[in-house]
Amino acid sequence: ALLWYCLAPVLLGVWGGLAFKNQTAMETALPEILVHSLPWIIYWGKVKLASLYCYLMAKVPSYWIFIYVCVCMSRCVYVCTFIMLYVVSTKLMVLRKYNEDVDLEYFYYCLTNQPFLDILQRRAENRIGSFPQITFDLLSEYAFPIPPISEQKRISSVISTLDKKIALNRQINQNLEAMAKQLYDYWFVQFDFPNEEGKPYKSSGGEMVWNEKLKRNIPVGWHCGNLFEIAVFTNGLACQKFRPKDDEVPLPVIKIREMHDGISVDTEEVTSNIPESVKVYNGDVLFSWSASLEVMLWAYGLGGLNQHIFKVTSANDFPKSFYYFQLLDYVDVFKKMAEARKTTMGHITQDHLQQSTIAIPDNKDIADKFEELISPIFKQIVKLQEEISNFIKQRDELLPLLMNGQITIE
């Protein structure tokens, strides 16, 4: 029989967190478990702690953590690793089930089910307060289906299998990008690219000369240039001015959120009749230049580029792998400049790119040889990200159907 239970004390215990005096106090108390348990707030290897104010500390395994700072950023995590006694910050709820009729993993998927999050979103937005948030009372009113425990385990097994495939693909992609970056550093930072004899150039005694602009030695036959010499930066459109007509197939609008999370039901749409220069295809390089300085290989399907993001393409026939990693390195330079000034880099302009200084080989053959090695890696990264998107789509479509008994598992 399919039963319905409410998120009430019959099923679980709910605790709120304590208020810390400041963010430093929270970060000081932050255990390693957070980094490993919240992969969805890790964007390209950088944990956005300050933006989410989520600081996890729990006492025993199998706790549930629900973040309610802003409902549209709500996240859930299943903590299955034993850790010592810690405290929980105010922006978290801790849920612990104690009803034997409920499988913990199944319960986790109930909480992460999109219809559930949609209900919370609507309810929280109607709540009177300074910003939308989830309360204990709101949670306790929500009911979800509870099939027999054996069916719960089968459902959670199917969904967790997809989650494991997603996690594996993400880990492989992180490793692939790290490998490619390591080779780039070896060739273009340490200048140990293969010489005519196939030996590492600098380590084998290759001639180096001092470059005053770069304040470092560079190989003979190289010069100091800027990012414009190797890449073209095309800014996106103000897509709200190019809404699709009723009789045409629209394109999803690519904003910074889509760079982080991919295309979703909340993604805006733009007419397909936009210039080709601002259409984005899988494998294109994108660079967000306002507020968030990030570089990525796009892999979420055809879309229209919004303003505040550059589509980066080749200049002077330099290959993608070369300008991708050169730009990735220089973004770090901009961030370090901002950190040294104790200010936030709100955005960068064409002038900043014009003033950049990078080491460029006079003969781009070395960059082409690098491309031969890296291009298959980039293609694999895009392919695995496409698989991730398909797995996520399958998971999100299957979960509500399985929970509501519309489809069953034999």
Side-chain angles (χ1 to χ4, degrees), residues 316-331:
N316 299 313
D317 291 328
F318 277 96
K320 180 188 297 183
S321 58
F322 184 68
Y323 63 74
Y324 173 82
F325 283 114
Q326 287 280 6
L327 177 58
L328 194 66
D329 262 3
Y330 216 83
V331 166

Side-chain angles (χ1 to χ4, degrees), residues 217-377:
N217 287 317
I218 62 174
V220 170
W222 290 50
H223 65 277
C224 176
N226 62 39
L227 291 167
F228 278 144
E229 187 174 335
I230 64 172
V232 175
F233 297 82
T234 304
N235 194 23
L237 302 173
C239 288
Q240 69 272 19
K241 298 180 181 179
F242 299 88
R243 295 302 184 197
K245 296 179 181 178
D246 293 337
D247 58 346
E248 65 182 9
V249 177
L251 295 177
V253 175
I254 300 172
K255 298 184 176 182
I256 293 176
R257 181 179 64 181
E258 280 68 32
M259 287 180 64
H260 292 159
D261 301 331
I263 306 301
S264 71
V265 293
D266 297 321
T267 296
E268 297 177 18
E269 294 180 334
V270 65
T271 176
S272 56
N273 295 317
I274 54 176
E276 186 67 22
S277 61
V278 291
K279 289 183 180 179
V280 179
Y281 298 86
N282 283 356
D284 284 347
V285 176
L286 300 184
F287 170 35
S288 60
W289 54 265
S290 178
S292 172
L293 304 183
E294 300 177 57
V295 181
M296 73 169 294
L297 286 173
W298 179 255
Y300 297 107
L302 176 62
L305 191 65
N306 198 57
Q307 58 189 348
H308 304 301
I309 303 175
F310 288 130
K311 177 180 174 181
V312 188
T313 53
S314 174
N316 299 313
D317 291 328
F318 277 96
K320 180 188 297 183
S321 58
F322 184 68
Y323 63 74
Y324 173 82
F325 283 114
Q326 287 280 6
L327 177 58
L328 194 66
D329 262 3
Y330 216 83
V331 166
D332 286 339
V333 172
F334 282 120
K335 290 179 179 178
K336 288 175 182 177
M337 289 168 54
E339 183 179 350
R341 295 195 304 268
K342 303 298 181 184
T343 61
T344 300
M345 177 65 70
H347 64 275
I348 65 171
T349 66
Q350 299 273 352
D351 287 340
H352 290 107
L353 298 172
Q354 186 71 49
Q355 295 162 11
S356 61
T357 54
I358 59 174
I360 302 175
D362 295 343
N363 186 335
K364 71 177 186 67
D365 285 352
I366 187 64
D368 291 334
K369 290 178 181 178
F370 180 71
E371 174 73 5
E372 291 176 6
L373 296 174
I374 302 302
S375 179
I377 295 178

Side-chain angles (χ1 to χ4, degrees), residues 186-242:
Y186 192 63
W187 283 33
F188 298 106
V189 178
Q190 302 175 36
F191 300 121
D192 268 333
F193 51 87
N195 62 14
E196 294 177 353
E197 300 175 350
K199 298 179 180 179
Y201 179 86
K202 185 178 179 181
S203 297
S204 300
E207 186 178 355
M208 307 287 289
V209 295
W210 177 258
N211 185 280
E212 186 61 30
K213 288 184 179 179
L214 293 170
K215 303 297 182 184
R216 64 175 302 191
N217 287 317
I218 62 174
V220 170
W222 290 50
H223 65 277
C224 176
N226 62 39
L227 291 167
F228 278 144
E229 187 174 335
I230 64 172
V232 175
F233 297 82
T234 304
N235 194 23
L237 302 173
C239 288
Q240 69 272 19
K241 298 180 181 179
F242 299 88

Side-chain angles (χ1 to χ4, degrees), residues 108-126:
Y108 166 73
Y109 289 120
C110 288
L111 293 177
T112 56
N113 190 18
Q114 191 58 49
F116 168 71
L117 296 177
D118 290 342
I119 290 173
L120 293 184
Q121 178 73 40
R122 291 192 296 270
R123 294 289 304 276
E125 287 176 352
N126 292 329

Side-chain angles (χ1 to χ4, degrees), residues 18-32:
L18 301 176
F20 291 88
K21 289 191 296 184
N22 52 48
Q23 183 169 314
T24 301
M26 289 189 283
E27 290 177 343
T28 301
L30 177 69
E32 283 296 316

